[in-house]
Amino acid sequence: MGRLPMHGISRTAEIDLSGEWQFRLLPHGAWSTAQVPSLWTMHEETDRPHYTNVPMPFDEVPPQVPDDNPTGVYRRSVELSPQAGRRTILHVGAAEGLLRVSANGQDLGTSTDSHLAAEFDITDAVRAGSNEIQLTVEKWSAASYLEDQDHWWQSGLSRPVFLYTVPEVRLADLSVVADYDPEAKCGALDVQVFTTGLDHLPESGWTVRIGVLGQTRTTSVTPRLIAPTLPTPADARSVRPEPMLPAGFSGLLGLKAAGAPLEEPMRQAAEMIGRYAHPTERPGTAAFALDDLVVQPWSAEIPHLEELSVELVAPDGGVADSTTVRIGFRRVRIEGRDLLVNGERVLIQGVNRHDVDPRTGRVLSRETMLAELSLLKRFNVNAIRTSHYPNDPYLLDLADELGFYVVDEADIEAHAFMATIPHDPRYLPEFLERVSRMVLRDRNHPSVIIWSLGNESGYGANHDAAAAWVRRFDPTRPVQYEGAIATDWHGGHGASDIVCPMYPHLDALKAFDGDRPVILCEYGYSQGNSAGGLADYWELFETLPGLQGGFVWGFKDHGLDPDGDGRYRYGGDFGDEPNDGPILLYGLVFPDLTPKPAFYEARGLFSPVRVAAEGDTLTIRNRQFFADLSAYELELRVETQHGPGPSRTVPAPAVAPRGEARLPIPDDLLKHIADALALTLTVRTRYDSRWAPAGTEIAVHQVTYPRKPWAPPYGIARNDEISHPLLLIPPRLSLWRALTDNDRAFSLDNRFVRSGFFDLTPIDGGYRTAWGEEVVHRRTIRQVGDADWVLSENVKLPEDTEDGLRVGMEFILVEGFEHARWTGLGPWENYPDRRSSALLGVWESMIDELAVPYIVPTENGGRGEVTALELSGPAGTMRTAHTPLHMTVGRHTVAQLEAADHWWKLPPSSVTVVHLDVAHRGVGMAHLGPDTRPEFRLTATEYAWEWRLILSTETR
Ligand code: GAL
């Protein structure tokens, strides 16, 4: 009895137990029904989602469990017709909480780890006919302290539950090392097949047959040496380490101290080792080694998979059990400061991905997983860190197939008690279990290139023990753990083969001279309107030795929408106290997978292609390490002063990995270049794939040309102010933007609030700030024609101004403007420090679509380098012209954006609010990471510029 050992064999559901179960939430709930899988916190009024980052949501210390412990009881009957000689296994994909399993009233065991499956052999508890299965999930347990990740606390069953049957004598586990030698360009296979159930049968005559690459091999099953009983700490020292007994353990068990407190955890650790290394049943193994194989290697760029079939053959020749596994030949090595995949120092263009879905909380359908990974592929992401727990095994199947490098992370985050838990031997067995069960489950996936011991749990002996186990058990992959290197990038060798810091500053990266690869486990913080400076990191990754990329924090916002009304909730919205508010809204995509502008920035940086121009020739560089560019086609388009000009689509030139090729600009385009703003190169897929149909745009790059300087036209000076029926509020000075999460960062020391620029009171010759300081604003106006003016602005800020958010003009147009057209950077939102992928051209959009609906409203929708803007609609037309300005056009004022705490709470508005700024601050990542660079801050105190405004009530 008890939970079965973890294995890497994927078994097919024979009886799917998804659907309606009887459900009761103790202590007070009555019986009703619930869907499985689902989280009760998403539908039960008495126990709602609760968001905390660091603190535990209750006041206890490990391993105490709070008295108030909501417990969900799931019960259903299932018709079974057991077959002689077969065992029935219950698979619970993931239970958030402590799981207790019973069948027909008989207890079968318990399990913890909310993100790994638990399996139970229910054969002896069930009978032919109707049977009752009960799954009880206790929300809190001693293990909760290891699941203190920064996301919603939820409870229930989040992955599928099903039954399958296996023969008594069967395949128990499988280990496949599919190696690729990049120098000899050949593959080698090391297959170990573990069987179980042979105990009481004659040992001879059983064989295992494998089939792979058109070859078949057979070998006999040999029994493994086993210890007769489970080792105890006392006799652990006498247990001879076998190949499967991990290095770290013998030492640990040898440690067995006199003190009683260690007795129990040590016994458990020994028992666990016993389960893996010395199963109680007599295991049989069959080993295969195949060399010099002619194979195509696997990589994220070319994820070539082969199928390996495994059959357990009885002495009479019958196939007793069988399975197949998809394998990929590849080699992961660390050599000095380089992490090599198939000999290449690949760049990790990764994201941190959580299991999260706005409607279900954390229950993800296969369609959602495919949609997420397809989107990542289309944005040139090549790596995923499964922050901060193992994902559904299907996600790894997809990663193998679509091509991602995966950092597979164990479900360990002891954030609130990081000072004690990693040193606490009572938690040692859980550390070992969580890490080893993940490795046992996932070791055959080519996509998994690195094991991670978890997140933000301090650093202690429990980590070193887990790392030692992994290194011995799977020497083919490195281990990483951020906590090990957090305080010293030169340290932590006991638990990390990689220097994997979070949110490091650029100077620290530049200055670091270590002896291991540096791959950032988190960077590029994207909460709200953020991720300014992503390109600066990439400049370092592409040029400095030892730096190999990292994982953006993070992929998807955790906003929840349980009712499906489009009103995303964050911390506190469920009455959850204490909470960390909107800190979990840091996605490159919104909860519904709509990409945010920052994701387009990343897409360009991660593009397989770079382009440069010299005269009438383009240089196309292939950034990939294994693939040529034949999978893409390129569209070249001239951006004229009047809009998109002529274009041509050509297959990408043959460019070897990391190579370059020259591409002459076709003559029919060349003749338009003299007058052009830019030449745009759109990269599209050439063939259908599982993640995108042929013709999907995956990146757009540009070569830009010098712009003609703007000269204001002649006009007659006048000294009255501007008024016009289309102007609800005429142009006035604006120095404030609705603060972003980064603008509020602790490290920015409240400097913007201290400036007092959020409240300007008009006085003679300028304004008074909220703190009574004077801002001088001088304007001269020249009349060019009817409702056609040139405005010369001069602004002097108080002498002690150290920094600012914006300097520019704001005006509000009456209702009746719908459409925008501008010459400048677009089409998506961009800011001075987040525009390496933005494109110069003439862009059009509905005004309503210019805003970016960050769940917490802040400054949004900006576009830089704008030299002309035209807004039109039934009310009339407004046009501006100027040297490059930063524009923001939307429906809401700064004050309205600041007053609302959710986008969906913004008041309806149909006026048009226009900002044209001569200076606008970068957005940076100061909330967690570096502030915007000095050149994108507003440190000047005097600004002068001119602009032209033309209004007409005639409609176009
Ligand atoms: C990191 C942590 C993440 C998340 C992030 C803030 O320190 O690893 O889980 O909390 O900060 O969004």
Side-chain angles (χ1 to χ4, degrees):
M1 287 297 151
R3 194 180 64 192
L4 295 172
M6 186 56 93
H7 57 83
I9 295 185
S10 103
R11 298 283 186 177
T12 319
E14 288 170 40
I15 301 182
D16 181 5
L17 298 180
S18 304
E20 198 170 281
W21 288 53
Q22 289 171 278
F23 176 74
R24 181 176 184 192
L25 182 59
L26 297 174
H28 301 303
W31 282 106
S32 61
T33 57
Q35 291 296 310
V36 168
S38 78
L39 298 165
W40 75 66
T41 29
M42 292 300 282
H43 55 78
E44 288 290 322
E45 283 307 317
T46 54
D47 188 27
R48 311 271 27 219
H50 188 156
Y51 171 49
T52 62
N53 176 354
V54 180
M56 294 297 290
F58 50 76
D59 274 337
E60 299 287 348
V61 292
Q64 302 304 326
V65 179
D67 292 337
D68 180 8
N69 194 359
T71 296
V73 186
Y74 298 81
R75 194 180 277 174
R76 67 166 277 169
S77 63
V78 52
E79 290 292 317
L80 294 177
S81 31
Q83 295 164 32
R86 290 190 79 83
R87 313 290 304 175
T88 302
I89 312 292
L90 171 68
H91 174 102
V92 182
E96 302 239 347
L98 184 151
L99 172 72
R100 293 183 193 280
V101 175
S102 68
N104 297 326
Q106 188 178 333
D107 287 341
L108 295 170
T110 63
S111 181
T112 54
D113 193 328
S114 298
H115 303 277
L116 281 176
E119 293 192 330
F120 299 84
D121 184 336
I122 64 170
T123 318
D124 299 335
V126 296
R127 53 192 173 241
S130 175
N131 294 272
E132 187 185 77
I133 310 269
Q134 181 168 306
L135 306 177
T136 305
V137 181
E138 293 170 23
K139 188 178 184 99
W140 308 121
S141 71
S144 304
Y145 296 94
L146 296 183
E147 298 184 6
D148 184 22
Q149 288 96 353
D150 175 8
H151 64 166
W152 295 103
W153 292 96
Q154 302 267 20
S155 310
L157 298 167
S158 58
R159 293 185 192 152
V161 178
F162 57 84
L163 293 171
Y164 65 87
T165 65
V166 285
E168 297 274 1
V169 181
R170 62 180 179 275
L171 299 170
D173 198 0
L174 186 63
S175 157
V176 184
V177 177
D179 182 45
Y180 181 74
D181 180 339
E183 264 142 42
K185 298 203 184 321
C186 67
L189 254 188
D190 180 346
V191 181
Q192 291 191 54
V193 180
F194 306 94
T195 68
T196 190
L198 282 165
D199 307 38
H200 311 295
L201 299 173
E203 280 164 19
S204 60
W206 287 79
T207 55
V208 168
R209 182 159 67 217
I210 63 165
V212 65
L213 298 163
Q215 305 186 24
T216 307
R217 298 285 170 92
T218 304
T219 191
S220 52
V221 178
T222 46
R224 282 166 54 84
L225 191 68
I226 52 152
T229 53
L230 289 180
T232 65
D235 61 25
R237 260 163 288 169
S238 64
V239 176
R240 273 228 330 274
E242 284 197 73
M244 282 183 70
L245 184 64
F249 281 147
S250 37
L252 274 168
L253 294 173
L255 231 171
K256 190 238 167 205
L262 288 185
E263 200 79 22
E264 178 56 16
M266 287 302 166
R267 193 193 62 74
Q268 288 180 34
E271 194 177 293
M272 197 193 90
I273 297 160
R275 282 216 293 282
Y276 297 135
H278 309 273
T280 42
E281 301 163 272
R282 180 180 307 178
T285 55
F288 300 84
L290 285 72
D291 291 327
D292 287 331
L293 300 169
V294 179
V295 295
Q296 299 261 346
W298 182 97
S299 68
E301 292 170 20
I302 309 178
H304 185 88
L305 295 173
E306 296 286 346
E307 193 169 273
L308 172 80
S309 66
V310 182
E311 293 170 318
L312 177 61
V313 183
D316 66 3
V319 175
D321 194 10
S322 65
T323 190
T324 58
V325 59
R326 291 189 307 179
I327 59 171
F329 289 86
R330 55 119 187 83
R331 178 180 289 181
V332 182
R333 287 275 187 284
I334 289 183
E335 280 178 19
R337 300 174 71 177
D338 297 331
L339 172 79
L340 304 177
V341 174
N342 298 339
E344 294 293 333
R345 187 183 171 276
V346 297
L347 288 173
I348 299 297
Q349 310 183 149
V351 297
N352 278 282
R353 183 194 165 283
H354 261 285
D355 279 348
V356 62
D357 179 276
R359 288 302 297 280
T360 64
R362 233 181 326 266
V363 181
L364 295 179
S365 66
R366 291 187 161 205
E367 293 71 34
T368 302
M369 289 186 255
L370 177 60
E372 289 192 0
L373 267 51
S374 299
L375 183 63
L376 291 173
K377 283 300 273 192
R378 294 201 297 268
F379 277 68
N380 306 313
V381 169
N382 71 1
I384 296 170
R385 172 173 174 238
T386 68
S387 56
H388 298 301
Y389 37 79
N391 290 175
D392 189 304
Y394 183 69
L395 195 117
L396 294 182
D397 290 343
L398 286 175
D400 292 343
E401 184 180 329
L402 273 51
F404 288 97
Y405 303 119
V406 174
V407 172
D408 202 359
E409 188 151 288
D411 192 2
I412 301 177
E413 175 159 341
H415 208 155
F417 292 92
M418 59 198 271
T420 52
I421 283 185
H423 313 281
D424 185 339
R426 293 172 300 176
Y427 277 93
L428 174 62
E430 277 281 343
F431 270 67
L432 297 175
E433 280 224 338
R434 284 165 184 254
V435 173
S436 60
R437 293 182 79 236
M438 170 183 77
V439 172
L440 282 159
R441 190 192 72 163
D442 296 339
R443 60 178 155 166
N444 297 329
H445 287 280
S447 56
V448 175
I449 63 162
I450 298 168
W451 302 114
S452 163
L453 305 179
N455 189 56
E456 294 187 317
S457 304
Y459 177 37
N462 295 349
H463 288 110
D464 285 345
W469 185 90
V470 177
R471 285 173 173 149
R472 178 69 177 264
F473 189 78
D474 176 16
T476 72
R477 295 173 175 95
V479 178
Q480 75 172 49
Y481 173 56
E482 184 270 341
I485 56 90
T487 53
D488 176 6
W489 290 7
H490 293 282
H493 285 79
S496 201
D497 302 323
I498 292 172
V499 178
C500 47
M502 29 174 91
Y503 313 109
H505 283 238
L506 300 165
D507 291 342
L509 290 173
K510 280 188 228 165
F512 182 62
D513 186 16
D515 55 2
R516 287 168 290 182
V518 178
I519 301 174
L520 316 188
C521 75
E522 294 175 26
Y523 82 107
Y525 194 69
S526 298
Q527 185 184 334
N529 186 352
S530 182
L534 204 57
D536 298 334
Y537 278 103
W538 275 90
E539 201 184 311
L540 301 190
F541 298 156
E542 306 239 22
T543 52
L544 292 185
L547 303 187
Q548 267 186 266
F551 298 83
V552 171
W553 189 266
F555 173 46
K556 191 175 174 184
D557 278 351
H558 293 235
L560 294 179
D561 180 15
D563 310 324
D565 56 11
R567 299 173 163 204
Y568 292 124
R569 324 293 159 88
Y570 54 82
D573 287 348
F574 295 97
D576 44 326
E577 292 293 336
N579 67 74
D580 282 290
I583 304 274
L584 74 185
L585 303 175
Y586 51 66
L588 290 170
V589 303
F590 285 102
D592 67 353
L593 291 183
T594 303
K596 293 184 192 173
F599 205 13
Y600 287 94
E601 177 80 347
R603 185 184 77 160
L605 293 166
F606 297 169
S607 163
V609 165
R610 287 283 182 277
V611 63
E614 217 177 291
D616 41 19
T617 305
L618 300 176
T619 303
I620 310 282
R621 182 155 65 84
N622 180 359
R623 287 183 68 247
Q624 301 173 112
F625 293 86
F626 305 106
D628 61 22
L629 291 182
S630 58
Y632 307 110
E633 62 183 21
L634 308 178
E635 185 201 312
L636 290 169
R637 188 179 68 223
V638 180
E639 306 296 344
T640 77
Q641 313 276 346
H642 313 288
S647 68
R648 270 278 214 107
T649 297
V650 295
V655 191
R658 307 303 285 170
E660 278 184 3
R662 307 217 175 276
L663 181 71
I665 301 175
D667 284 344
D668 48 339
L669 302 189
L670 205 52
K671 61 183 185 229
H672 299 275
I673 293 288
D675 207 25
L677 294 168
L679 182 65
T680 302
L681 178 102
T682 304
V683 185
R684 296 207 172 84
T685 57
R686 219 165 137 192
Y687 307 104
D688 288 335
S689 66
R690 186 145 184 228
W691 50 270
T696 300
E697 174 185 304
I698 58 153
V700 193
H701 301 278
Q702 276 193 327
V703 172
T704 55
Y705 300 106
R707 297 166 81 175
K708 296 215 177 64
W710 176 73
Y714 173 77
I716 298 165
R718 47 182 300 165
N719 44 23
D720 52 342
E721 278 296 322
I722 287 172
S723 75
H724 190 275
L726 291 181
L727 285 175
L728 198 61
I729 296 194
R732 63 182 179 192
L733 182 67
S734 171
L735 301 178
W736 194 251
R737 69 183 181 197
L739 294 181
T740 65
D741 297 298
N742 291 331
D743 295 339
R744 291 174 209 272
F746 184 66
S747 60
L748 293 186
D749 62 18
N750 234 357
R751 67 180 67 168
F752 306 118
V753 175
R754 267 202 336 258
S755 73
F757 293 162
F758 52 87
D759 187 13
L760 300 181
T761 312
I763 53 170
D764 236 16
Y767 297 85
R768 203 168 285 296
T769 70
W771 312 130
E773 286 192 288
E774 200 180 328
V775 174
V776 180
H777 177 208
R778 281 200 216 94
R779 169 182 286 162
T780 57
I781 302 172
R782 301 194 302 274
Q783 184 99 33
V784 179
D786 187 24
D788 181 351
W789 308 273
V790 171
L791 294 87
S792 306
E793 318 277 5
N794 184 290
V795 176
K796 280 204 190 87
L797 304 178
E799 277 304 310
D800 58 356
T801 305
E802 329 157 42
D803 199 352
L805 294 163
R806 70 164 16 126
V807 175
M809 290 300 139
E810 172 198 35
F811 53 97
I812 302 183
L813 299 171
V814 297
E815 286 185 19
F817 285 87
E818 288 171 354
H819 187 261
R821 178 185 162 96
W822 72 98
T823 305
L825 293 177
W828 47 80
E829 176 200 83
N830 54 81
Y831 284 84
D833 58 353
R834 201 187 67 220
R835 63 184 190 204
S836 73
S837 306
L839 307 165
L840 189 59
V842 180
W843 304 106
E844 301 197 38
S845 165
M846 299 309 285
I847 293 172
D848 285 336
E849 282 157 24
L850 288 171
V852 181
Y854 296 113
I855 296 176
V856 178
T858 65
E859 161 64 28
N860 73 88
R863 268 89 175 164
E865 300 286 304
V866 174
T867 51
L869 170 64
E870 181 182 297
L871 302 176
S872 57
T877 309
M878 182 235 68
R879 283 186 286 145
T880 70
H882 24 78
T883 48
L885 298 178
H886 180 92
M887 87 171 196
T888 314
V889 176
R891 298 296 187 195
H892 294 99
T893 63
V894 171
Q896 285 173 322
L897 292 169
E898 285 205 320
D901 53 12
H902 292 70
W903 188 267
W904 48 269
K905 290 189 187 165
L906 281 170
S909 167
S910 43
V911 300
T912 300
V913 182
V914 182
H915 282 264
L916 286 170
D917 299 331
V918 66
H920 195 103
R921 197 179 199 274
V923 289
M925 313 177 180
H927 189 89
L928 260 186
D931 185 22
T932 193
R933 288 211 314 254
E935 60 265 44
F936 303 126
R937 300 177 199 163
L938 268 61
T939 46
T941 50
E942 184 165 354
Y943 296 84
W945 73 105
E946 290 191 315
W947 60 296
R948 182 179 182 186
L949 173 66
I950 310 168
L951 296 165
S952 161
T953 48
E954 275 170 35
T955 50
R956 297 201 316 144

